[in-house]
């Protein structure tokens, strides 16, 4: 379906779930979204959060997690997921 900074996102056509395959991982898929709608919503939330953070540097990154987890808890469920990597970069101020 597309690329994250260090992973490829793939759709399982059998159940509609979204998995990532990390470029530097073990090759095993990581479930990151329950469906395409969740992926799209999460990306929209990420974009909006980044825009808001440009205007308010004090906006807590935890707010991003809260907004995404409100409709899908999968993006941050696995510690090595791309969403957690991006979140860490946001916390560190490099995303």
């Amino acid at each position: 379906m597309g690329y994250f900074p260090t992973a490829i996102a793939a759709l399982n056509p059998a159940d509609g779930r979204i998995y990532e395959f990390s470029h530097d991982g073990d090759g095993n898929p990581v479930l990151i979204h329950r469906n395409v709608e969740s992926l799209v919503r999460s990306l929209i939330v990420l974009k909006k959060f980044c825009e808001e953070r440009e205007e308010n540097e004090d906006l807590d990154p935890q707010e991003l997690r809260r907004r995404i987890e409100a409709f899908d808890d999968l993006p941050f469920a696995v510690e090595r997921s791309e969403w957690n990597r991006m979140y860490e970069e946001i916390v560190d101020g490099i995303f």
Side-chain angles (χ1 to χ4, degrees), residues 19-90:
Y19 293 84
E20 77 170 47
F21 293 87
S22 176
H23 298 302
D24 61 352
D26 57 11
N28 293 323
V30 174
L31 178 62
I32 57 170
H33 290 284
R34 66 177 179 262
N35 55 33
V36 173
E37 177 187 3
S38 172
L39 170 63
V40 172
R41 285 183 70 183
S42 296
L43 292 172
I44 291 169
V45 167
L46 174 63
K47 183 178 186 292
K48 184 175 180 182
F49 177 84
C50 289
E51 290 169 354
E52 291 172 0
R53 193 134 190 242
E54 285 180 8
E55 294 184 21
N56 179 6
E57 292 179 8
D58 294 330
L59 186 58
D60 188 354
Q62 190 66 13
E63 179 64 19
L64 172 66
R65 283 185 78 136
R66 186 194 64 72
R67 291 176 188 179
I68 292 174
E69 289 175 338
F71 58 85
D72 189 357
D73 60 349
L74 291 174
F76 301 103
V78 176
E79 187 175 326
R80 62 185 177 95
S81 79
E82 187 67 11
W83 279 103
N84 279 313
R85 287 184 185 123
M86 288 188 299
Y87 178 75
E88 289 174 12
E89 289 181 358
I90 290 169

